[in-house]
Amino acid sequence: MPSKNEGNQPAKRLPPLASWPTIKILAPPKGRFSPKTDEWCWTYCSQSVTGRYHGKEPTCRSVCIRKVFPHEVRNIVAFKTHRNLGPDGKARYPLPSEGQPANLPRWLGGKLPIEDEDEDAPWHKPPPEPIKHWDEGWYLWTSSSRYAIHEKLNSMRRDLPGQQKADQQTEFRREVWQEYQAHLEKGDQSADASKWWGPIVPLQPFPEFRSKSLLVPLPLESPLFWDRMSKVFAPTHKALDIFQEMIQSAEAREFAERIWHKAWTKDPFVLVSKTFSMWYKMLKDSDTSPDDDRKST
């Protein structure tokens, strides 16, 4: 039973328009908290019966498309996290080795082979190739190695600084393993080799898989590639130009009108009937065997 004090309390006053229906507009977060997709991968692997019996590697192919957003290489307001910046204000995160010019084919912008015209000339060390860095835009990655595909799937959970750190750790592990293998081959027992003494050995890295991978920006920045494409499609462009001139000229229009008027005459029917009669006569003559001809004679 309500008390007297409760009955005397005034009703709670609501703000104006509180009972009216409202519309809420929720803007998705931007920058590194954005839910947008920035990479798509398609992977296909197959194995044969004999390959499975002999323990061979499966045949794999993977293609990935990556979009680098501006906040990944630029210091935007509220997202100032990059430190190593270049003169253009962009972060300098190097591309993996499969994206460097030294490991790309020539028609995709790879370096040209250095040829010495004079063999007696003193040898000079060629200048180092410029290192390519990530930039905002689109990239295409492809590989035929299952180890590279496995590493690619792991890299999809890392940002560019994390990917750079993982690549450095992989390269360091490979160098340590090569140094350990050289120690075993030489059988070095000096004091410098004491770090290899003991039951603990370095972890063996994955086999080399970068040579089976490829990373290029989109659109391609190789003049040689576009020169080849222009030569391949040059006849197509020529044929299309001729076809366009025929369409625009009056002669083609007159020819089309003549075909249209001719189609409504009896000449097409006569041509089809004669063709069918000749075809039927040839088919009938081919069915007559030589034995039938001898019996008739």
Coordinates of all heavy atoms in Angstrom, one line a residue, residues 204-253:
Q204 N 65.9 -23.9 -36.9 CA 66.0 -23.9 -38.3 C 64.9 -23.1 -39.0 O 63.7 -23.3 -38.7 CB 66.0 -25.3 -38.9 CG 66.2 -25.4 -40.4 CD 66.2 -26.8 -40.9 OE1 66.0 -27.8 -40.1 NE2 66.4 -27.0 -42.2
P205 N 65.3 -22.1 -39.8 CA 64.2 -21.2 -40.4 C 63.5 -22.0 -41.6 O 64.0 -23.1 -42.0 CB 65.0 -20.0 -40.9 CG 66.4 -20.6 -41.2 CD 66.6 -21.6 -40.2
F206 N 62.5 -21.4 -42.1 CA 61.8 -21.9 -43.2 C 62.7 -21.9 -44.5 O 63.6 -21.1 -44.5 CB 60.5 -21.1 -43.6 CG 59.4 -21.4 -42.7 CD1 58.5 -20.4 -42.3 CD2 59.1 -22.7 -42.3 CE1 57.4 -20.6 -41.5 CE2 58.0 -23.0 -41.5 CZ 57.2 -21.9 -41.1
P207 N 62.5 -22.8 -45.4 CA 63.3 -22.8 -46.6 C 63.1 -21.4 -47.3 O 62.1 -20.7 -47.1 CB 62.8 -23.9 -47.5 CG 62.2 -24.9 -46.5 CD 61.7 -24.0 -45.4
E208 N 64.0 -21.1 -48.2 CA 63.9 -19.8 -48.9 C 62.7 -19.8 -49.8 O 62.6 -20.7 -50.7 CB 65.2 -19.6 -49.7 CG 65.5 -18.1 -50.1 CD 64.6 -17.6 -51.2 OE1 64.4 -18.5 -52.1 OE2 64.2 -16.5 -51.2
F209 N 61.8 -18.8 -49.6 CA 60.6 -18.8 -50.4 C 60.4 -17.5 -51.1 O 59.4 -17.3 -51.9 CB 59.4 -19.1 -49.6 CG 59.3 -18.3 -48.3 CD1 58.7 -17.0 -48.4 CD2 59.7 -18.7 -47.1 CE1 58.6 -16.2 -47.3 CE2 59.6 -17.9 -46.0 CZ 59.0 -16.7 -46.1
R210 N 61.3 -16.5 -50.8 CA 61.0 -15.2 -51.4 C 61.2 -15.2 -52.9 O 60.6 -14.4 -53.6 CB 62.0 -14.2 -50.8 CG 61.9 -14.0 -49.3 CD 60.7 -13.3 -48.9 NE 60.6 -13.0 -47.5 CZ 59.6 -12.4 -46.9 NH1 58.6 -12.0 -47.6 NH2 59.6 -12.2 -45.6
S211 N 62.0 -16.1 -53.5 CA 62.3 -16.1 -54.9 C 61.0 -16.6 -55.7 O 60.9 -16.3 -56.9 CB 63.4 -17.0 -55.2 OG 63.2 -18.4 -54.8
K212 N 60.1 -17.2 -55.0 CA 58.8 -17.7 -55.6 C 57.7 -16.7 -55.4 O 56.5 -17.0 -55.7 CB 58.5 -19.0 -55.1 CG 59.5 -20.1 -55.4 CD 59.0 -21.5 -54.9 CE 60.0 -22.6 -55.2 NZ 59.6 -23.9 -54.7
S213 N 58.0 -15.5 -54.9 CA 57.0 -14.5 -54.6 C 57.2 -13.3 -55.4 O 58.3 -13.0 -55.9 CB 56.9 -14.2 -53.1 OG 56.7 -15.4 -52.3
L214 N 56.2 -12.4 -55.5 CA 56.2 -11.2 -56.3 C 55.3 -10.2 -55.6 O 54.2 -10.5 -55.2 CB 55.8 -11.5 -57.7 CG 56.1 -10.4 -58.7 CD1 57.6 -10.2 -59.0 CD2 55.4 -10.7 -60.1
L215 N 55.8 -9.0 -55.5 CA 55.1 -7.9 -54.9 C 55.3 -6.6 -55.8 O 56.4 -6.1 -55.9 CB 55.5 -7.6 -53.5 CG 54.8 -6.4 -52.8 CD1 53.3 -6.7 -52.6 CD2 55.4 -6.2 -51.4
V216 N 54.2 -6.1 -56.4 CA 54.3 -4.9 -57.3 C 53.2 -4.0 -56.9 O 52.1 -4.4 -56.5 CB 54.3 -5.4 -58.8 CG1 55.5 -6.2 -59.2 CG2 53.0 -6.2 -59.0
P217 N 53.4 -2.7 -57.1 CA 52.3 -1.7 -56.9 C 51.4 -1.7 -58.1 O 51.8 -2.1 -59.2 CB 53.1 -0.4 -56.8 CG 54.4 -0.6 -57.5 CD 54.7 -2.0 -57.4
L218 N 50.2 -1.2 -57.9 CA 49.2 -1.1 -58.9 C 48.7 0.4 -59.0 O 48.4 1.0 -58.0 CB 48.0 -2.0 -58.6 CG 48.2 -3.5 -58.6 CD1 46.9 -4.2 -58.2 CD2 48.7 -4.0 -59.9
P219 N 48.7 0.9 -60.2 CA 49.2 0.3 -61.5 C 50.7 0.2 -61.6 O 51.4 0.8 -60.8 CB 48.6 1.3 -62.5 CG 48.6 2.6 -61.8 CD 48.3 2.3 -60.4
L220 N 51.1 -0.7 -62.5 CA 52.5 -0.9 -62.6 C 53.3 0.3 -63.0 O 52.8 1.1 -63.8 CB 52.8 -2.0 -63.6 CG 52.2 -3.4 -63.3 CD1 52.4 -4.4 -64.4 CD2 52.8 -4.0 -62.0
E221 N 54.5 0.4 -62.5 CA 55.3 1.6 -62.8 C 56.5 1.3 -63.7 O 57.5 2.0 -63.8 CB 55.9 2.2 -61.5 CG 54.9 2.6 -60.5 CD 55.4 3.0 -59.2 OE1 56.7 2.8 -59.0 OE2 54.7 3.5 -58.3
S222 N 56.3 0.2 -64.5 CA 57.4 -0.2 -65.4 C 57.1 0.2 -66.8 O 56.2 -0.2 -67.5 CB 57.5 -1.8 -65.4 OG 58.4 -2.2 -66.3
P223 N 58.0 1.1 -67.4 CA 57.8 1.5 -68.8 C 58.0 0.3 -69.8 O 57.3 0.3 -70.8 CB 58.8 2.6 -69.0 CG 59.2 3.0 -67.7 CD 59.1 1.9 -66.8
L224 N 58.9 -0.6 -69.4 CA 59.1 -1.8 -70.3 C 57.9 -2.6 -70.4 O 57.5 -3.1 -71.5 CB 60.3 -2.6 -69.8 CG 60.7 -3.8 -70.6 CD1 61.2 -3.3 -72.0 CD2 61.9 -4.5 -69.9
F225 N 57.1 -2.8 -69.3 CA 55.9 -3.6 -69.4 C 54.9 -3.0 -70.3 O 54.3 -3.6 -71.1 CB 55.3 -3.7 -67.9 CG 54.0 -4.4 -67.9 CD1 53.9 -5.8 -68.0 CD2 52.8 -3.6 -67.8 CE1 52.6 -6.4 -67.9 CE2 51.6 -4.2 -67.7 CZ 51.5 -5.6 -67.8
W226 N 54.7 -1.6 -70.2 CA 53.7 -1.0 -71.0 C 54.1 -0.9 -72.4 O 53.3 -0.9 -73.4 CB 53.4 0.4 -70.4 CG 52.8 0.4 -69.1 CD1 53.3 0.8 -67.9 CD2 51.5 -0.1 -68.8 NE1 52.4 0.6 -66.9 CE2 51.3 0.0 -67.4 CE3 50.4 -0.7 -69.5 CZ2 50.1 -0.4 -66.7 CZ3 49.3 -1.1 -68.9 CH2 49.1 -1.0 -67.5
D227 N 55.4 -0.8 -72.7 CA 55.9 -0.9 -74.1 C 55.6 -2.2 -74.7 O 55.1 -2.3 -75.9 CB 57.4 -0.6 -74.1 CG 57.8 0.8 -73.8 OD1 56.8 1.7 -73.8 OD2 58.9 1.1 -73.4
R228 N 55.8 -3.3 -73.9 CA 55.4 -4.6 -74.5 C 53.9 -4.8 -74.7 O 53.5 -5.3 -75.7 CB 55.9 -5.7 -73.5 CG 57.4 -5.9 -73.5 CD 57.8 -7.1 -72.7 NE 59.2 -7.3 -72.6 CZ 59.8 -8.4 -72.1 NH1 59.1 -9.3 -71.5 NH2 61.1 -8.5 -72.1
M229 N 53.1 -4.3 -73.8 CA 51.7 -4.3 -74.0 C 51.2 -3.5 -75.2 O 50.3 -4.0 -75.9 CB 51.0 -3.9 -72.7 CG 51.1 -4.8 -71.5 SD 50.4 -6.4 -71.7 CE 51.8 -7.4 -72.1
S230 N 51.8 -2.4 -75.4 CA 51.5 -1.6 -76.5 C 51.8 -2.3 -77.9 O 51.1 -2.2 -78.8 CB 52.1 -0.2 -76.5 OG 53.5 -0.3 -76.5
K231 N 53.0 -3.0 -77.9 CA 53.3 -3.7 -79.1 C 52.4 -4.9 -79.3 O 52.0 -5.2 -80.5 CB 54.8 -4.2 -79.0 CG 55.8 -3.1 -79.0 CD 57.2 -3.6 -78.9 CE 58.2 -2.5 -78.9 NZ 59.6 -3.0 -78.8
V232 N 52.0 -5.6 -78.2 CA 51.1 -6.7 -78.4 C 49.7 -6.3 -78.9 O 49.1 -6.9 -79.8 CB 51.0 -7.5 -77.0 CG1 49.9 -8.5 -77.1 CG2 52.3 -8.1 -76.7
F233 N 49.2 -5.2 -78.4 CA 47.9 -4.7 -78.7 C 47.8 -3.7 -79.9 O 46.8 -3.2 -80.2 CB 47.2 -4.1 -77.5 CG 46.8 -5.1 -76.5 CD1 47.6 -5.2 -75.3 CD2 45.7 -6.0 -76.6 CE1 47.3 -6.1 -74.3 CE2 45.4 -6.9 -75.6 CZ 46.2 -7.0 -74.5
A234 N 49.0 -3.5 -80.5 CA 49.0 -2.5 -81.6 C 48.1 -3.0 -82.8 O 47.4 -2.2 -83.3 CB 50.5 -2.3 -82.1
P235 N 48.2 -4.3 -83.2 CA 47.3 -4.7 -84.3 C 45.8 -4.5 -83.9 O 44.9 -4.2 -84.7 CB 47.6 -6.2 -84.5 CG 49.0 -6.3 -84.0 CD 49.1 -5.4 -82.8
T236 N 45.5 -4.7 -82.6 CA 44.1 -4.6 -82.2 C 43.6 -3.1 -82.3 O 42.5 -2.8 -82.8 CB 43.9 -5.1 -80.7 OG1 44.4 -6.4 -80.6 CG2 42.5 -5.0 -80.3
H237 N 44.5 -2.2 -81.9 CA 44.2 -0.8 -82.0 C 44.0 -0.4 -83.5 O 43.1 0.4 -83.8 CB 45.3 0.1 -81.4 CG 45.3 -0.1 -79.9 ND1 44.3 0.3 -79.1 CD2 46.3 -0.5 -79.0 CE1 44.6 0.1 -77.8 NE2 45.8 -0.4 -77.8
K238 N 44.9 -1.0 -84.3 CA 44.8 -0.6 -85.8 C 43.4 -1.2 -86.3 O 42.8 -0.4 -87.1 CB 45.9 -1.3 -86.5 CG 46.0 -0.9 -88.0 CD 46.3 0.6 -88.2 CE 46.5 0.9 -89.6 NZ 46.7 2.4 -89.9
A239 N 43.1 -2.4 -86.0 CA 41.8 -2.9 -86.5 C 40.6 -2.2 -86.0 O 39.6 -1.9 -86.7 CB 41.7 -4.4 -86.0
L240 N 40.6 -1.7 -84.7 CA 39.5 -0.9 -84.2 C 39.4 0.4 -84.8 O 38.3 0.9 -85.1 CB 39.7 -0.8 -82.6 CG 39.5 -2.0 -81.8 CD1 39.8 -1.8 -80.3 CD2 38.1 -2.6 -82.0
D241 N 40.6 1.0 -85.2 CA 40.6 2.3 -85.9 C 39.9 2.2 -87.3 O 39.1 3.0 -87.7 CB 42.0 2.9 -86.0 CG 42.5 3.3 -84.6 OD1 41.7 3.5 -83.7 OD2 43.8 3.4 -84.5
I242 N 40.3 1.1 -87.9 CA 39.8 0.9 -89.3 C 38.3 0.6 -89.2 O 37.5 1.1 -90.0 CB 40.5 -0.3 -90.0 CG1 42.0 0.0 -90.2 CG2 39.8 -0.7 -91.3 CD1 42.8 -1.1 -90.8
F243 N 37.8 -0.2 -88.2 CA 36.4 -0.4 -88.0 C 35.6 0.8 -87.7 O 34.5 1.0 -88.2 CB 36.2 -1.5 -86.9 CG 34.8 -1.8 -86.7 CD1 34.1 -2.6 -87.5 CD2 34.1 -1.4 -85.5 CE1 32.8 -3.0 -87.3 CE2 32.8 -1.7 -85.3 CZ 32.1 -2.5 -86.2
Q244 N 36.2 1.7 -86.9 CA 35.6 3.0 -86.5 C 35.5 3.9 -87.8 O 34.4 4.5 -88.0 CB 36.4 3.7 -85.4 CG 35.7 5.0 -85.0 CD 36.5 5.6 -83.9 OE1 37.6 5.2 -83.5 NE2 36.0 6.7 -83.3
E245 N 36.5 3.9 -88.6 CA 36.4 4.7 -89.8 C 35.3 4.1 -90.8 O 34.6 4.9 -91.4 CB 37.8 4.7 -90.5 CG 38.9 5.4 -89.8 CD 40.2 5.3 -90.4 OE1 40.3 4.7 -91.5 OE2 41.2 5.9 -89.9
M246 N 35.2 2.8 -90.8 CA 34.2 2.2 -91.7 C 32.8 2.6 -91.2 O 31.9 2.9 -91.9 CB 34.3 0.7 -91.7 CG 35.6 0.2 -92.5 SD 35.7 -1.6 -92.4 CE 34.1 -2.1 -93.1
I247 N 32.6 2.6 -89.8 CA 31.3 2.9 -89.3 C 30.9 4.4 -89.6 O 29.8 4.8 -89.9 CB 31.2 2.6 -87.8 CG1 31.4 1.1 -87.5 CG2 30.0 3.1 -87.1 CD1 30.3 0.3 -88.1
Q248 N 31.9 5.3 -89.4 CA 31.7 6.7 -89.6 C 31.6 7.1 -91.1 O 31.0 8.2 -91.4 CB 32.8 7.5 -88.9 CG 32.8 7.3 -87.4 CD 34.0 8.1 -86.8 OE1 34.8 8.6 -87.5 NE2 34.0 8.1 -85.4
S249 N 32.1 6.3 -92.0 CA 32.1 6.7 -93.4 C 30.7 6.4 -94.0 O 29.9 5.6 -93.5 CB 33.2 5.9 -94.2 OG 32.9 4.5 -94.1
A250 N 30.4 7.1 -95.1 CA 29.1 6.9 -95.8 C 29.1 5.6 -96.6 O 28.0 5.1 -96.8 CB 28.9 8.1 -96.8
E251 N 30.2 5.1 -97.0 CA 30.2 3.9 -97.8 C 29.7 2.7 -96.9 O 29.0 1.9 -97.4 CB 31.7 3.6 -98.3 CG 32.2 4.6 -99.2 CD 33.6 4.3 -99.7 OE1 34.2 3.3 -99.1 OE2 34.1 5.1 -100.5
A252 N 30.1 2.6 -95.7 CA 29.7 1.6 -94.8 C 28.2 1.7 -94.6 O 27.5 0.6 -94.5 CB 30.4 1.6 -93.5
R253 N 27.7 2.9 -94.4 CA 26.2 3.1 -94.2 C 25.5 2.6 -95.5 O 24.4 2.0 -95.4 CB 26.0 4.5 -93.9 CG 24.5 4.8 -93.5 CD 24.4 6.3 -93.2 NE 25.3 6.7 -92.1 CZ 25.5 7.9 -91.7 NH1 24.8 8.9 -92.3 NH2 26.4 8.2 -90.8

